DNA sequence: GAGTTTGAAACT
DNA sequence: CAGTTTCAAACTC
């Protein structure tokens, strides 16, 4: 009974949101956040002619612009939401639909790979409905990695209809949604290299992108997949989150608690020479983490924590202030603009709720990467994954609580957990040294969409509505 | 908005 | 594996 009540509450909320024509939620859904493998999976389904379920149709189908329907329905939450909206007339089926979608999602290749990447993040706890799974995932060390860079999850209220990509990007960033969903501006890479943020993030390029000769589109699915494979063969971690949380000092996340950046680190480390690790050129900085022993940077002044371990940002969000000169500080402040915005939003759960779409997006994005053969370093790239967990852990599932931006920013999965994940999913042979500097080529920030309240609610819904999450079950 | 700087990604 | 080139984002003006 309790469960039902909760479900009902969530459903109601979702419906309400979906009913808002211009809700950010919808906007978010319009975004493409495809998983490269998703299409393939979908194709498979089509070929098999097995899926007649409406939910299938709702799958994220990039390149299928539909003004009313989400441009990119995230296979997971997005789909669910979508389904809900559609099913609004038939509440009875609503749940069912959601379920089916979730299941489909699970069926995605990437998802299938146990504990794989972002996707997992998104759904890792899906089963939470079946609390068992969720806890299991967490306990098993599902690595929630957070790509700070994007994980920064600055997303929220994204306007996708902007014309100039650059402007858009800037605006978005200024608005705090910057990296939620990628928009690239590639000219020569055809968006088939990691240079391309979209490609690196595992999403297809879409409208907001201003790329040229773009091959990163559903039409060229084969090419994209092939390229991806190639890149992965070269570096299995190419599409994995770059930032991971280290085992040390990973405090339980609490509403009023702020984790220190020091708990997260860039896997490969940066190689900055001129930026002093104070600009976004620096992947560590961009990811909101301090530099570590893995970094080969020169003159490191990373506000989040220097290579030498000094100047680590503390809870107040003013990293290493004392050691920073004015210009540095200024730069830092600038870079924190997004977070601040985010923070604001977070502090206003009500407003944030509708904006979740992005959140939904990113996690999905990563899903694709988990190739069956090479399990994505299953780091989940959910920026606030921990936050989510926290909520659940603390029994405040459906309640969206404001989270300190920094906290979000830095919440990642413990690095030491990685092995477990790998163990679960990947064959020993493919083991990757996460900390190896040379094993660079770790994927860029995948969406780190953080954890917007809305996302949480959506997630929650999924969790509750989906009794079982196949994908979580490692295929062995 | 154009041009520069920067460092990751890709290549040799 | 190291050095070089290419690339696109980040940044500056």
């Amino acid at each position: 009974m309790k469960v039902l009540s909760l479900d009902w509450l969530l459903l109601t909320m979702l419906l309400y949101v979906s009913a808002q024509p211009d809700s950010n939620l919808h906007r978010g859904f319009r975004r493409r956040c495809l998983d490269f493998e998703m299409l393939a999976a979908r194709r498979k389904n089509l070929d098999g002619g097995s899926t007649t379920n409406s939910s299938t149709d709702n799958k994220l189908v990039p390149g299928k612009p539909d003004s009313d329907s989400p441009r990119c329905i995230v296979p997971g939450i997005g789909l669910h939401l979508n389904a809900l909206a559609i099913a609004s007339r038939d509440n009875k089926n609503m749940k069912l639909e959601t379920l089916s979608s979730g299941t489909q999602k699970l069926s995605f290749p990437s998802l299938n790979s146990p504990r794989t990447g972002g996707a997992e993040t998104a759904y890792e706890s899906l089963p939470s409905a079946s609390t068992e799974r969720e806890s299991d995932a967490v306990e098993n060390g599902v690595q929630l990695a957070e790509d700070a860079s994007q994980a920064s999850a600055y997303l929220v209220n994204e306007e996708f209809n902007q014309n100039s990509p650059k402007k858009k990007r800037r605006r978005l960033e200024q608005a705090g949604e910057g990296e939620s969903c990628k928009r690239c501006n590639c000219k020569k890479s055809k968006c088939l290299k990691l240079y391309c943020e979209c490609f690196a993030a595992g999403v297809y390029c879409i409208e907001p992108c201003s790329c040229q000769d773009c091959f990163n589109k559903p039409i060229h699915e084969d090419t994209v997949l092939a390229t991806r494979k190639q890149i992965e063969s070269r570096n299995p971690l190419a599409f994995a989150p770059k930032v991971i949380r280290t085992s040390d000092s990973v405090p339980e996340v609490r509403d009023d608690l702020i984790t220190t950046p020091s708990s997260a680190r860039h896997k490969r480390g940066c190689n900055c020479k001129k930026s002093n690790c104070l600009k976004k050129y620096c992947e560590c900085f961009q990811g909101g983490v301090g530099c570590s022993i893995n970094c080969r940077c020169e003159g490191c002044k990373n506000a989040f924590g220097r290579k030498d371990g000094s100047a680590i940002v503390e809870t107040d969000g003013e990293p290493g202030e004392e050691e920073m000169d004015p210009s540095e500080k200024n730069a830092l402040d600038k870079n924190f603009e997004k977070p601040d915005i985010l923070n604001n939003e977070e502090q206003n759960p009500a407003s944030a709720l509708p904006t979740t779409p992005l959140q939904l997006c990113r996690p999905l994005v990563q899903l694709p990467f988990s190739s069956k053969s090479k399990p994505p370093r299953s780091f989940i790239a959910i920026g606030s994954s921990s936050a989510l967990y926290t909520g659940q852990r603390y029994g405040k599932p459906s309640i969206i609580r404001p989270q300190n931006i920094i906290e979000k920013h830095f919440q990642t999965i413990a690095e030491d957990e990685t092995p477990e994940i790998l163990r679960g999913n990947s064959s020993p042979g493919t083991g990757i040294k996460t900390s190896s500097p040379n094993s660079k080529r770790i994927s860029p920030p995948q969406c780190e969409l953080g954890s917007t309240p809305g996302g949480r609610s959506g997630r929650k819904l999924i969790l509750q509505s989906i009794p079982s999450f196949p994908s979580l079950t490692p295929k062995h």
Side-chain angles (χ1 to χ4, degrees):
Chain A
M1 209 39 174
K2 268 185 182 177
V3 173
L4 283 175
S5 299
L6 212 54
D7 279 343
W8 177 248
L9 182 63
L10 289 170
L11 284 173
T12 303
M13 289 175 69
L14 287 170
L15 284 173
Y16 173 78
V17 172
S18 345
Q20 311 301 311
D22 292 319
S23 71
N24 288 324
L25 185 62
H26 275 202
R27 261 185 223 151
F29 283 130
R30 274 187 199 122
R31 277 190 150 201
R32 68 52 175 99
C33 290
L34 263 202
D35 172 357
F36 292 139
E37 291 183 23
M38 198 179 294
L39 262 186
R42 180 163 152 267
R43 235 190 353 197
K44 258 187 188 173
N45 287 336
L46 287 175
D47 290 345
S50 57
T51 46
T52 54
N53 191 322
S54 62
S55 64
T56 302
D57 294 340
N58 285 338
K59 258 187 179 181
L60 178 54
V61 180
K64 208 181 179 183
D66 183 339
S67 52
D68 279 340
S69 63
R71 191 175 166 154
C72 84
I73 299 166
V74 178
I77 298 169
L79 183 57
H80 291 300
L81 291 175
N82 205 33
L84 285 174
I86 292 169
S88 61
R89 355 171 220 187
D90 187 347
N91 286 342
K92 231 180 169 185
N93 295 333
M94 207 174 359
K95 218 167 188 180
L96 194 60
E97 195 125 292
T98 302
L99 244 168
S100 65
S101 340
T103 301
Q104 284 180 352
K105 244 181 23 180
L106 300 179
S107 67
F108 289 152
S110 54
L111 284 176
N112 284 338
S113 61
R115 302 196 160 153
T116 306
E120 192 179 2
T121 333
Y123 311 106
E124 64 194 321
S125 37
L126 287 182
S128 69
S130 55
T131 57
E132 211 175 293
R133 281 225 182 199
E134 185 185 9
S135 61
D136 185 46
V138 173
E139 288 176 7
N140 281 338
V142 173
Q143 281 199 342
L144 302 176
E146 127 184 279
D147 198 311
S149 51
Q150 312 354 223
S152 337
Y154 310 138
L155 43 127
V156 186
N157 299 331
E158 263 194 87
E159 261 314 40
F160 292 89
N161 294 328
Q162 308 182 33
N163 295 329
S164 164
K166 255 189 178 177
K167 277 186 180 177
K168 276 186 232 171
R169 184 188 295 261
R170 221 154 242 202
R171 249 185 272 172
L172 290 176
E173 285 179 3
Q174 287 176 354
E177 26 185 349
E179 332 219 11
S180 46
C181 269
K182 308 278 179 197
R183 290 174 288 299
C184 69
N185 191 32
C186 307
K187 291 184 176 63
K188 299 181 179 181
S189 67
K190 299 181 195 296
C191 298
L192 287 177
K193 299 201 173 182
L194 291 174
Y195 294 129
C196 175
E197 287 195 1
C198 298
F199 181 78
V203 299
Y204 286 117
C205 291
I206 50 167
E207 208 179 319
C209 295
S210 60
C211 42
Q212 298 171 12
D213 298 325
C214 180
F215 273 73
N216 186 26
K217 294 181 178 176
I219 319 174
H220 301 106
E221 174 195 350
D222 294 339
T223 304
V224 173
L225 291 175
T227 305
R228 259 182 57 83
K229 266 189 180 176
Q230 188 183 336
I231 293 172
E232 280 188 327
S233 68
R234 190 169 49 203
N235 170 28
L237 287 177
F239 296 97
K242 292 177 177 177
V243 177
I244 59 174
R245 188 179 67 181
T246 57
S247 56
D248 64 334
S249 81
V250 174
E252 278 281 348
V253 178
R254 290 179 48 182
D255 296 339
D256 53 348
L257 195 77
I258 298 171
T259 55
T260 77
S262 62
S263 63
R265 285 287 181 272
H266 193 279
K267 264 187 184 177
R268 175 192 61 202
C270 66
N271 192 32
C272 307
K273 298 210 165 38
K274 298 181 179 180
S275 67
N276 296 135
C277 302
L278 279 174
K279 300 198 174 182
K280 289 175 99 180
Y281 293 128
C282 174
E283 289 197 353
C284 296
F285 183 88
Q286 186 176 56
V289 302
C291 288
S292 68
I293 193 172
N294 291 330
C295 298
R296 288 132 287 157
C297 48
E298 297 175 6
C300 179
K301 292 180 181 177
N302 191 334
F304 293 103
R306 299 183 186 181
K307 193 162 54 169
D308 59 13
S310 65
I312 289 176
V313 179
E314 283 306 317
T315 59
D316 59 17
E318 295 291 338
E321 224 174 295
E322 70 277 14
E323 299 189 29
M324 237 183 282
D325 64 38
S327 62
E328 289 172 359
K329 201 174 168 186
N330 188 39
L332 187 63
D333 288 346
K334 275 185 182 177
N335 286 316
F336 278 128
E337 280 175 11
K338 289 187 198 176
D340 286 343
I341 291 169
L342 180 61
N343 192 19
N344 289 339
E345 260 198 74
E346 286 192 331
Q347 290 181 346
N348 186 350
S351 65
L353 210 144
T355 64
T356 4
L358 291 181
Q359 206 177 10
L360 298 176
C361 266
R362 277 307 169 195
L364 292 176
V365 171
Q366 253 197 343
L367 296 179
F369 293 127
S370 47
S371 55
K372 306 153 190 175
S373 55
K374 299 172 186 172
R377 278 7 272 288
S378 27
F379 296 97
I380 295 172
I382 287 182
S384 56
S385 58
S386 48
L388 291 175
Y389 280 124
T390 303
Q392 290 175 351
R393 281 181 182 173
Y394 287 80
K396 315 173 197 172
S398 57
I399 296 175
I400 296 163
R401 308 200 95 202
Q403 196 171 359
N404 182 301
I405 180 104
I406 290 181
E407 181 182 1
K408 265 182 163 185
H409 207 82
F410 298 103
Q411 292 190 358
T412 49
I413 294 175
E415 188 172 8
D416 46 335
E417 290 177 1
T418 307
E420 285 227 46
I421 294 172
L422 292 176
R423 270 179 246 154
N425 295 328
S426 44
S427 59
T430 59
I432 296 166
K433 295 178 184 176
T434 58
S435 60
S436 166
N438 284 338
S439 62
K440 292 181 161 196
R441 293 177 183 178
I442 291 168
S443 94
Q446 311 225 325
C447 205
E448 346 236 331
L449 287 195
S451 37
T452 55
R456 280 174 214 164
S457 67
R459 184 168 185 253
K460 175 127 201 221
L461 175 66
I462 290 172
L463 292 175
Q464 292 195 339
S465 350
I466 300 174
S468 64
F469 195 21
S471 64
L472 289 179
T473 306
K475 288 178 176 180
H476 283 294

